[in-house]
């Protein structure tokens, strides 16, 4: 239960069950399944009789007893029946069916929970037919500011103490690397190795006559103030870093419009190579600005408690903090448990959530953000943490008054 944790990889073992989950056991119904037979219509009849028309996850077991594919659906019955159509909609469905000997499924109480459970299972079992969500494939990354004498923007796949600030996760890593490079050039931040020696203009020198030459061509091109050769003061360089951070955090986006105007002016003057450079920088920063804008929206709107009705008398709540799922548990009933959860929510509302960069947590965060963007009406179901804490405390106060 509780905060998502990376599962143990079990790709070398025979499948005996989906296994434990960070989701509370109350969201799951009884697991089902059957061995496949050669008759397609008989398999369809078995699915109609046994598979529920409920959200959940399903798996296909190969001839060697290993899980070869994991999927999720709003309706397990309808999704699995589509695999046994005379001509499946996707050729991959036919390949999975031909390679399998058994079907298993696990009803999950809500579509979003099914998505999270699917990702958890892909991360744990690493089925060969699943292409997305595999931990060994290319993963989202972060934009960071390095913690060095001359900070600059860095493309990072993992977070560490070497970074002052970090934003993400962001998908499309090849384009993200280009955007980070454009960020350093446009805001005139260095992009050399951290081992480079830096000497600012206001820094005293022990010996005179030290060769003050920039160690790369960027200073001559006007895209770096050369903190390596004392051509700028520490304060002047810090001002450039601050402007870059303001852009990343959405406080100052005029640089995108400025680059577009420069591109148009250069093209009008038939300076096409210069116009192409401005075009690339404009597109890179515009794309990065939109990606970071979506992250800010996610952190602002997905911050609270969402109650899910699993059954007439079963309720479950998901706790989100700044776009990340931090807990999932049954709705408390007793006054003491309500009071305990209210305190947890208040502490969570005032304390920052530490960013996590393990593959499973990153993918779950992206799944949550994407699901709410596709189901915007569900944002109205999220109750702010402080409001939820007050509502939870009300039953406890009522119980004390009655006593």
């Amino acid at each position: 239960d509780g905060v998502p944790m990376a599962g143990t990889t079990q790709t070398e073992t025979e499948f005996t069950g989906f296994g434990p989950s960070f989701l509370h056991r109350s969201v799951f119904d009884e697991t089902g399944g059957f061995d496949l037979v050669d008759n397609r219509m008989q398999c369809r009849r078995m699915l109609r009789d046994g598979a529920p028309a409920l959200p959940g996850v399903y798996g296909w077991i190969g001839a060697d007893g290993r899980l070869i594919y994991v999927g999720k659906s709003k309706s397990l019955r309808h999704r699995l029946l589509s695999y046994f159509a005379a001509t499946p909609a996707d050729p991959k469905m036919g390949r999975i069916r031909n390679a399998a000997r058994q079907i298993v499924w696990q009803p999950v109480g809500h579509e979003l929970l099914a998505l999270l459970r699917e990702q958890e299972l892909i991360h744990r079992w690493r089925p060969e037919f699943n292409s997305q969500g595999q931990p060994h494939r290319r993963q989202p990354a972060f934009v960071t500011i390095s913690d060095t004498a001359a900070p600059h923007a860095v493309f990072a796949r993992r977070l560490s103490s070497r970074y002052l600030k970090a934003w993400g996760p962001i998908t499309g890593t090849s384009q993200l690397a280009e955007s980070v490079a454009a960020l350093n050039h446009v805001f005139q931040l260095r992009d050399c190795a951290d081992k480079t020696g830096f000497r600012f203009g206001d820094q005293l020198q022990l010996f005179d006559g030290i060769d003050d030459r920039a160690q790369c061509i960027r200073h001559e091109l006007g895209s770096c103030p050369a903190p390596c050769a004392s051509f700028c003061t520490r304060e002047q360089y810090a001002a450039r870093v601050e402007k870059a951070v303001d852009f990343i955090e959405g406080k100052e986006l005029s640089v995108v419009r400025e680059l577009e105007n420069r591109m148009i002016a250069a093209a009008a003057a038939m300076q096409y190579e210069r116009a192409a450079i401005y075009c690339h920088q404009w597109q890179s920063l515009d794309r990065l600005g939109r990606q970071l804008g979506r992250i800010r929206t996610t952190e602002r709107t997905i911050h609270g408690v969402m109650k899910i009705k699993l059954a007439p008398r079963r309720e479950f709540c998901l706790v989100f903090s700044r776009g990340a799922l931090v807990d999932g548990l049954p709705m408390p009933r007793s006054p003491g448990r309500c009071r305990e959860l209210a305190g947890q929510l208040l502490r969570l509302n005032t304390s920052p959530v530490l960013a996590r960069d393990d593959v499973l947590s990153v993918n779950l965060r992206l799944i949550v953000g994407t699901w709410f963007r596709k189901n915007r009406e569900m944002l109205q179901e999220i109750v702010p943490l402080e409001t939820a804490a007050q509502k939870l405390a009300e039953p406890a106060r009522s119980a004390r008054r009655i006593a």
Side-chain angles (χ1 to χ4, degrees), residues 158-185:
R158 291 288 178 267
L159 302 178
S160 75
S161 57
R162 296 185 295 118
Y163 306 125
L164 285 172
K165 293 185 176 182
W167 299 265
I170 301 174
T171 56
T173 52
S174 59
Q175 291 183 329
L176 181 59
E178 293 178 2
S179 297
V180 170
L183 196 66
N184 284 323
H185 278 255

Side-chain angles (χ1 to χ4, degrees), residues 115-402:
L115 281 166
L116 300 175
R117 178 61 164 160
E118 178 196 34
Q119 181 56 56
E120 180 182 41
L121 294 174
I122 292 173
H123 184 89
R124 175 181 298 142
W125 292 97
R126 306 187 187 182
E128 59 181 287
F129 278 95
N130 285 96
S131 56
Q132 296 183 349
Q134 295 278 11
H136 59 276
R137 295 183 181 273
R138 181 176 294 177
Q139 298 298 325
F142 300 83
V143 177
T144 66
I145 297 295
S146 63
D147 186 9
T148 55
H152 68 304
V154 179
F155 167 91
R157 294 193 180 276
R158 291 288 178 267
L159 302 178
S160 75
S161 57
R162 296 185 295 118
Y163 306 125
L164 285 172
K165 293 185 176 182
W167 299 265
I170 301 174
T171 56
T173 52
S174 59
Q175 291 183 329
L176 181 59
E178 293 178 2
S179 297
V180 170
L183 196 66
N184 284 323
H185 278 255
V186 171
F187 289 97
Q188 298 187 359
L189 303 179
R190 58 100 180 177
D191 59 2
C192 51
D194 288 341
K195 64 182 179 181
T196 302
F198 300 110
R199 290 183 289 110
F200 292 97
D202 54 348
Q203 185 176 332
L204 297 177
Q205 298 182 12
L206 183 60
F207 301 102
D208 294 331
I210 295 179
D211 187 14
D212 287 335
R213 286 186 298 181
Q215 299 186 31
C216 72
I217 198 174
R218 280 192 57 197
H219 177 65
E220 297 180 20
L221 296 175
S223 65
C224 179
C228 58
S230 68
F231 288 149
C232 69
T233 65
R234 194 180 300 272
E235 184 178 354
Q236 290 170 338
Y237 190 86
R240 289 179 165 84
V241 175
E242 186 177 354
K243 288 182 178 180
V245 171
D246 285 345
F247 169 79
I248 293 173
E249 295 182 344
K251 299 176 183 176
E252 179 52 69
L253 301 176
S254 61
V255 65
V256 176
R257 174 61 64 182
E258 183 180 341
L259 286 170
E260 184 181 15
N261 292 336
R262 289 182 185 178
M263 176 192 68
I264 294 171
M270 292 187 291
Q271 299 174 345
Y272 299 119
E273 291 184 0
R274 186 180 295 273
I277 293 173
Y278 287 141
C279 179
H280 177 72
Q281 293 176 343
W282 165 56
Q283 291 177 335
S284 296
L285 292 194
D286 181 60
R287 179 176 59 246
L288 178 60
R290 286 185 279 108
Q291 290 174 316
L292 291 168
R294 286 195 293 269
I295 291 175
R296 289 192 296 272
T297 300
T298 296
E299 292 178 347
R300 184 180 69 254
T301 57
I302 309 176
H303 184 69
V305 179
M306 185 173 78
K307 186 166 65 174
I308 297 174
K309 197 166 188 176
L310 304 177
R313 300 190 66 180
R314 281 171 56 203
E315 290 182 329
F316 191 80
C317 64
L318 294 178
V319 182
F320 301 100
S321 180
R322 297 167 181 85
L325 175 66
V326 295
D327 207 350
L329 67 164
M331 286 297 294
R333 299 295 182 185
S334 67
R337 185 68 186 96
C338 287
R339 193 163 49 247
E340 180 183 345
L341 180 56
Q344 293 175 359
L345 297 181
L346 288 175
R347 288 191 295 273
L348 186 62
N349 191 43
T350 56
S351 60
V353 175
L354 296 177
R356 300 183 59 176
D357 63 356
D358 63 89
V359 173
L360 180 58
S361 295
V362 166
N363 284 334
L364 293 180
R365 186 184 181 98
L366 291 171
I367 287 171
V368 168
T370 301
W371 188 84
F372 276 104
R373 281 196 295 274
K374 291 181 179 178
N375 301 272
R376 295 183 184 278
E377 70 281 0
M378 296 304 297
L379 290 171
Q380 302 174 5
E381 303 295 322
I382 298 179
V383 180
L385 291 175
E386 187 174 359
T387 304
Q390 292 172 353
K391 290 185 176 181
L392 283 166
E394 286 174 3
R397 287 196 294 268
S398 298
R400 286 198 299 271
R401 283 197 297 269
I402 292 172

